[in-house]
Amino acid sequence: GASAFYLALFARRYTRSTWIASGFVLASLYATFWWNFLRAHTFEIFVTLFLLAFAFHFLKALRSENRRLHLLVAAVYLGALCLSKSVYLILIPPTFLASLYARSTSSFGRPWRMTVDHLVYFYIPLSFLLGVMLWSNWYRFGSPFTNGYLQYEHAVLHWNVGPALLGYLFAKQKSMFLYFPVLIFAFVSWRAFAKKYRGDALLIGGLGLVVFTFNSAYPYWEGGPCYGPRYLLPVLPLLSLPFIGFLEWMSRLARPTARRFILGATAATLVYSCALQVGVNSLPFFFRFQLFRMAENTGVDAPQHYFRTRTIGTVNLEYIFYSLGYPSPMTRNFVGYLNSTDVGLLQIKRLQTPANYYWFAKPFLRED
């Protein structure tokens, strides 16, 4: 609810249309892999909320007479973000650059007054919260500069960012475009967004750049056996904000044929992605990975290739069709390779899945 609230506040910042604002919020929540994390109290939903709230209040402070209040709230949210995971200290440099830009362009008071306000109401409270973070590290790990990750070899950054860059852009299991398709249309309008809202684009683009770059240099960039690029999730809703401008541009197209075509392509993409999310959220969190382990036990490459070349949403939807008794690629690409014992285990899983249905009863289980 809080995440949807801040998404709506952001949307109203860039459009007066209730329909466009609602479309952006619904698409961001239900046509992306964000939905999968929102269904449980996972770490990702909290850091995403903290980042959304911090960015909103900080940007609001740049063009608001209530600058001091917004700066203080922004400091609290950024501090909470760093306390949640100290890696988010990397967000401070782009925030500082945005402060300098705001100082040079603001029409709300003199530049020196803005500098004092940022120091007193943002950086000093933030420093206090960062001090709490350092004390917490010292208390738990024996040093203020140890965070519980540095003892692991995979926590050391490297310069071979190529695999992560390609993975985040094109990999079927981790592409941010496949798992957050709102970005596809947002990037079309990023240039216009940056031209119209320079301060906002500077902060949002800076936050996105440092998070993307840092995680690309992280050896464990995939995030383990999870759904989508979870390390990028906190910045993806922010990077998708130009989608609002895309919707407004589309609504103003003079040619009805072009408007209907673009609207249809956009709607088809988001509806299909929403269907994939329904498939994912209708089954247990690690259901696809359990099936993949069964495929590995066959000792045959074909069923493993089937899982590697499909997104989790596609696998789950195909399992649902298989479970209902309808034709499904899963039958010939996976089930056909299982021995009788594994087929029995698969049927047990089929009976166990209704326990995961919490939003309406047994939607994909046909009674025999």
Side-chain angles (χ1 to χ4, degrees):
S3 297
F5 173 73
Y6 275 105
L7 280 178
L9 290 179
F10 261 119
R12 298 302 294 177
R13 181 177 174 86
Y14 305 121
T15 182
R16 295 180 180 273
S17 171
T18 301
W19 288 105
I20 290 177
S22 301
F24 168 72
V25 174
L26 292 174
S28 298
L29 292 176
Y30 296 112
T32 71
F33 78 126
W34 194 0
W35 186 2
N36 179 64
F37 293 97
L38 289 170
R39 58 195 274 225
H41 290 171
T42 59
F43 172 79
E44 287 76 16
I45 65 172
F46 295 107
V47 295
T48 304
L49 169 62
F50 294 157
L51 184 52
L52 269 175
F54 151 67
F56 174 79
H57 288 288
F58 190 84
L59 291 174
K60 191 74 173 176
L62 303 185
R63 296 290 184 271
S64 173
E65 294 180 352
N66 296 323
R67 180 170 61 211
R68 295 174 177 176
L69 175 62
H70 286 292
L71 285 172
L72 182 59
V73 176
V76 171
Y77 276 116
L78 182 55
L81 191 61
C82 295
L83 281 167
S84 301
K85 198 171 184 179
S86 56
V87 67
Y88 289 107
L89 289 168
I90 62 175
L91 302 182
I92 295 178
T95 301
F96 178 72
L97 292 177
S99 297
L100 294 180
Y101 178 83
R103 182 181 182 277
S104 64
T105 61
S106 177
S107 58
F108 290 93
R110 298 176 181 178
W112 68 268
R113 173 53 64 186
M114 172 168 277
T115 300
V116 172
D117 286 347
H118 274 74
L119 177 64
V120 174
Y121 294 95
F122 182 76
Y123 288 107
I124 291 180
L126 178 61
S127 298
F128 171 77
L129 292 172
L130 295 182
V132 173
M133 182 196 74
L134 295 175
W135 173 84
S136 175
N137 289 341
W138 172 79
Y139 180 79
R140 291 180 297 167
F141 308 113
S143 170
F145 304 107
T146 300
N147 57 14
Y149 289 92
L150 297 179
Q151 67 268 32
Y152 298 111
E153 183 179 352
H154 66 70
V156 180
L157 302 182
H158 60 75
W159 293 104
N160 184 23
V161 299
L165 290 175
L166 293 175
Y168 283 146
L169 294 176
F170 306 114
K172 289 189 176 181
Q173 306 302 335
K174 300 298 174 181
S175 170
M176 60 183 181
F177 296 112
L178 288 177
Y179 289 88
F180 214 98
V182 180
L183 276 174
I184 300 173
F185 308 102
F187 279 163
V188 175
S189 295
W190 245 99
R191 183 176 180 181
F193 178 81
K195 185 176 180 180
K196 188 174 182 179
Y197 306 102
R198 292 184 178 179
D200 294 31
L202 177 65
L203 178 66
I204 293 169
L207 297 177
L209 180 62
V210 296
V211 171
F212 188 84
T213 303
F214 178 87
N215 285 298
S216 295
Y218 185 50
Y220 209 50
W221 62 271
E222 303 97 331
C226 64
Y227 180 48
R230 67 184 179 96
Y231 290 148
L232 296 185
L233 176 59
V235 296
L236 294 183
L238 288 174
L239 293 175
S240 298
L241 286 171
F243 179 62
I244 297 168
F246 173 82
L247 293 178
E248 290 202 320
W249 167 79
M250 183 171 56
S251 68
R252 294 194 301 265
L253 280 175
R255 297 181 179 180
T257 302
R259 184 169 61 250
R260 285 194 292 269
F261 175 79
I262 297 175
L263 176 61
T266 305
T269 301
L270 297 178
V271 168
Y272 176 68
S273 182
C274 183
L276 293 178
Q277 310 317 316
V278 170
V280 170
N281 295 314
S282 296
L283 297 173
F285 277 102
F286 300 105
F287 189 76
R288 180 263 183 191
F289 299 99
Q290 294 169 357
L291 296 186
F292 182 70
R293 282 195 290 271
M294 295 176 66
E296 289 181 317
N297 291 336
T298 64
V300 182
D301 185 65
Q304 299 177 47
H305 177 76
Y306 165 76
F307 285 98
R308 293 193 189 101
T309 56
R310 282 169 166 78
T311 65
I312 293 178
T314 303
V315 169
N316 282 21
L317 282 181
E318 291 177 355
Y319 169 80
I320 288 169
F321 281 109
Y322 161 77
S323 179
L324 288 169
Y326 297 122
S328 169
M330 180 169 284
T331 303
R332 66 176 183 275
N333 292 311
F334 170 58
V335 181
Y337 291 91
L338 299 179
N339 57 39
S340 57
T341 301
D342 286 336
V343 170
L345 291 175
L346 187 62
Q347 292 304 313
I348 292 175
K349 289 183 179 297
R350 176 177 174 270
L351 296 173
Q352 291 174 341
T353 52
N356 190 68
Y357 301 151
Y358 62 96
W359 37 296
F360 57 95
K362 300 184 180 180
F364 301 122
L365 181 65
R366 186 174 64 182
E367 298 292 346
D368 294 326

